Amino acid sequence: MREKWKGIDWMEYLIFTYALIFISGLFFGTFANVCIKRWHDETPLFCAPTCDTCGHKIPWCDTVPVLSFILNKGKCGYCHTPIPLQNLVVELVTGFTFLAIFTSYGFSLEGIKMLLVAWMFIVGTVSDINYREVPNELTLIALIAMPTFILLNVNSLLDTLWGVIPAIWIVLFACIVAHFTGQEDIIGGGDVKFMFSVGGLMGMEFVLLMFVLGCISLALMYGSFIIESAITKGAKGTSVPMLVGFSQAYALMLLMHYLADARFDVFGGFLP
């Protein structure tokens, strides 16, 4: 058994596994783009993709992540209307995020949970940036995932409850602060439900740390806007959706976990 993983065979298997995880992430990024658009438009999720401009049905060969965008030069293959660069960015971000989480957590149920939360953050953040709303479908996914992970002994019922309660109070506190600072548009009901979902999946300690790091991130962004406005003497206000700061906090927490506990045995002890 040990001879099987020595030398080049092991390296080939490792490279193949990393490539498979990355490509899977790219396809989940494509699915994220579909969810972002269709959940907002309230159209069926599983139907043939069409061009938003000419309405032509897009064949499967033009829906391959990244590759189709490059081969078609970022344009529709029929009407040649430019495809939003966001599609490519979301696919790449999802692919690299999946690869980073797999490198840190390996083949484990905890890793699957982190992948789910990361995907929810990507969909929620892009939706918040584009439409100033967080899809309710993400809350539904979390409500299904919470008891599932409890049954699989990934989370305990107590951890789930302790994660939900502070998440709601934290966002309500943020709503009050936003109201008195005149920044009501940076937070809404969708943010409350999203934090409820993340809290139930990740637990209290995760939510509290993410809130602190997210507030620091938002403060830095707003501080830079204020300095820029003072230098350029611009009077235009700038608003940043709350999930942007929390997504940056989530990414930083993943990096912190990787640096603190970098495990090169990414197969979770499955291999000798």
Side-chain angles (χ1 to χ4, degrees), residues 27-260:
F27 276 98
F28 272 97
T30 300
F31 183 59
N33 282 319
V34 173
C35 292
I36 292 166
K37 183 70 169 60
R38 296 189 178 182
W39 281 343
H40 171 72
D41 295 340
E42 297 183 353
T43 54
L45 190 60
F46 299 102
C47 61
T50 58
C51 174
D52 293 335
T53 302
C54 64
H56 197 285
K57 288 187 177 181
I58 302 174
W60 69 268
C61 57
D62 285 341
T63 61
V64 179
V66 179
L67 185 61
S68 295
F69 189 93
I70 295 174
L71 292 179
N72 291 325
K73 299 179 180 179
K75 298 180 181 180
C76 172
Y78 301 94
C79 66
H80 304 293
T81 300
I83 299 173
L85 184 61
Q86 166 198 301
N87 292 5
L88 177 63
V89 173
V90 168
E91 290 171 354
L92 289 174
V93 168
T94 308
F96 283 113
T97 300
F98 273 41
L99 186 60
I101 292 175
F102 172 74
T103 302
S104 186
Y105 289 88
F107 287 122
S108 65
L109 292 175
E110 186 72 21
I112 293 175
K113 183 180 71 172
M114 295 299 293
L115 291 175
L116 173 62
V117 174
W119 185 86
M120 291 172 59
F121 261 109
I122 292 171
V123 174
T125 301
V126 177
S127 297
D128 207 8
I129 293 173
N130 289 349
Y131 311 115
R132 285 297 194 270
E133 65 180 23
V134 181
N136 292 324
E137 288 80 359
L138 294 178
T139 305
L140 178 60
I141 292 174
L143 290 175
I144 297 173
M146 286 180 200
T148 302
F149 285 120
I150 291 175
L151 292 174
L152 293 174
N153 292 323
V154 179
N155 294 343
S156 68
L157 178 60
L158 186 61
D159 287 339
T160 299
L161 294 176
W162 276 114
V164 166
I165 295 173
I168 295 176
W169 281 105
I170 285 172
V171 179
L172 289 178
F173 171 76
C175 289
I176 296 173
V177 173
H179 174 75
F180 283 103
T181 57
Q183 298 289 339
E184 294 91 344
D185 56 339
I186 70 170
I187 189 169
D191 297 299
V192 177
K193 289 180 286 188
F194 186 84
M195 291 301 294
F196 162 87
S197 304
V198 173
L201 289 170
M202 300 305 299
M204 181 174 62
E205 293 182 3
F206 181 93
V207 171
L208 292 176
L209 179 57
M210 185 183 67
F211 176 73
V212 172
L213 295 176
C215 288
I216 294 174
S217 174
L218 289 171
L220 291 174
M221 283 188 287
Y222 274 108
S224 64
F225 293 147
I226 293 173
I227 294 174
E228 180 185 5
S229 178
I231 294 175
T232 61
K233 297 181 180 180
K236 185 178 179 181
T238 304
S239 176
V240 180
M242 189 183 72
L243 279 189
V244 173
F246 286 167
S247 293
Q248 292 175 346
Y250 181 78
L252 180 59
M253 292 170 69
L254 287 178
L255 178 61
M256 291 166 59
H257 179 275
Y258 177 76
L259 294 177

